[in-house]
Amino acid sequence: MKNRRSFLKKSVSITLGAGVIGTVATPLKAMHTPAVNGINIVGPKDGFTPEIGTLVSMMNWMRNTMLRPVHGMSTKDLDYLHDANSNSVGAMLMHLVATERFYQENTFEGNVHFEPGQKEDRLYEAASNLGDAGRATFKGNNLDYYMDKLEACREFSLKELAKYDDTWLEKVDTQFWGNPTNNYCKWFHVVEHESNHNGQIKYLKSRLHTRK
């Protein structure tokens, strides 16, 4: 908990879960592809096979970018609703956690549960659906609350991704929502999804001055 909070206070430019990368076990079929580390380097990363490392570099870059506009937000900022049908920044941060959790369950050995239990299931259901459920559930929390959820979820993803090789990324699910989809596409959606909501978060932040 203390480390997660100090992460935010020091700089949002520090990549979430970076410590995991250097400590995970050697992945399957480890290659000797040189890895260059750094937030703006998209490519192989230490501790992962080449394509998984490239995916991880994109995940880290997008997470770093997404965190910039929420840096320093108060609970009031995180709870702000622009209109009766909008989602708060806090709810959208939890929505990102819930989406990543879905892909954890879907791709890691078929059914790996993150933070299991009936209470947590209801929490993530509200985060997935947003709308009325999200507005009712996610309010009154400070930024540390959301940062802890985001980082714990990402740490789990990185730990699991380190167990697989590039062949696993290419594995195709022929029945995924009616379309053949490989694991690479599923996890790239985690990146794209954060990019989408990053724009919404920036818009809401720009409207904070209009609140009554």
Side-chain angles (χ1 to χ4, degrees):
M1 182 74 71
K2 183 178 179 181
N3 289 337
R4 292 173 189 162
R5 292 180 179 175
S6 63
F7 156 84
L8 179 63
K9 293 176 181 177
K10 289 180 179 179
S11 171
V12 297
S13 64
I14 299 175
T15 305
L16 279 173
V20 176
I21 296 176
T23 59
V24 292
T26 302
L28 299 174
K29 297 184 181 179
M31 305 292 184
H32 294 292
T33 304
V36 179
N37 294 307
I39 192 64
N40 291 327
I41 303 297
V42 174
K45 296 296 178 187
D46 294 334
F48 303 92
T49 52
E51 288 299 323
I52 291 183
T54 299
L55 171 66
V56 166
S57 70
M58 290 187 283
M59 291 169 63
N60 288 341
W61 191 93
M62 191 63 244
R63 174 59 57 85
N64 183 64
T65 299
M66 184 276 296
L67 288 178
R68 291 176 186 170
V70 305
H71 179 58
M73 276 194 170
S74 65
T75 299
K76 185 177 181 181
D77 295 337
L78 292 163
D79 289 351
Y80 170 68
L81 294 172
H82 189 56
D83 56 48
N85 296 313
S86 69
N87 298 300
S88 68
V89 170
M92 281 192 283
L93 292 176
M94 275 303 300
H95 180 66
L96 298 179
V97 176
T99 299
E100 186 163 340
R101 178 176 182 260
F102 168 80
Y103 285 100
Q104 289 172 352
E105 293 181 337
N106 181 263
T107 62
F108 296 150
E109 301 174 9
N111 188 28
V112 174
H113 292 279
F114 177 74
E115 294 190 354
Q118 188 174 6
K119 181 179 179 181
E120 291 294 337
D121 288 344
R122 288 197 300 268
L123 182 72
Y124 285 104
E125 182 178 358
S128 293
N129 295 334
L130 292 178
D132 290 339
R135 285 186 285 273
T137 303
F138 303 109
K139 55 186 178 181
N141 301 309
N142 62 23
L143 187 55
D144 283 340
Y145 172 88
Y146 298 109
M147 289 295 295
D148 288 342
K149 297 288 186 182
L150 283 161
E151 187 172 0
C153 185
R154 179 53 54 86
E155 285 178 350
F156 182 76
S157 294
L158 296 178
K159 181 180 178 181
E160 292 299 305
L161 285 169
K163 298 177 181 179
Y164 296 93
D165 62 9
D166 294 348
T167 301
W168 175 84
L169 271 186
E170 299 167 3
K171 183 178 179 181
V172 176
D173 180 349
T174 60
Q175 302 299 320
F176 188 72
W177 292 341
N179 294 293
T181 307
N182 64 12
N183 286 329
Y184 210 148
C185 182
K186 291 177 181 180
W187 278 94
F188 179 75
H189 176 64
V190 173
V191 181
E192 179 275 331
H193 188 248
E194 290 200 5
S195 176
N196 177 53
H197 288 289
N198 178 53
Q200 294 178 331
I201 290 170
K202 286 179 177 176
Y203 173 78
L204 286 175
K205 184 176 182 180
S206 74
R207 308 311 297 167
L208 289 175
H209 69 279
T210 68
R211 62 187 170 194
K212 297 179 180 180

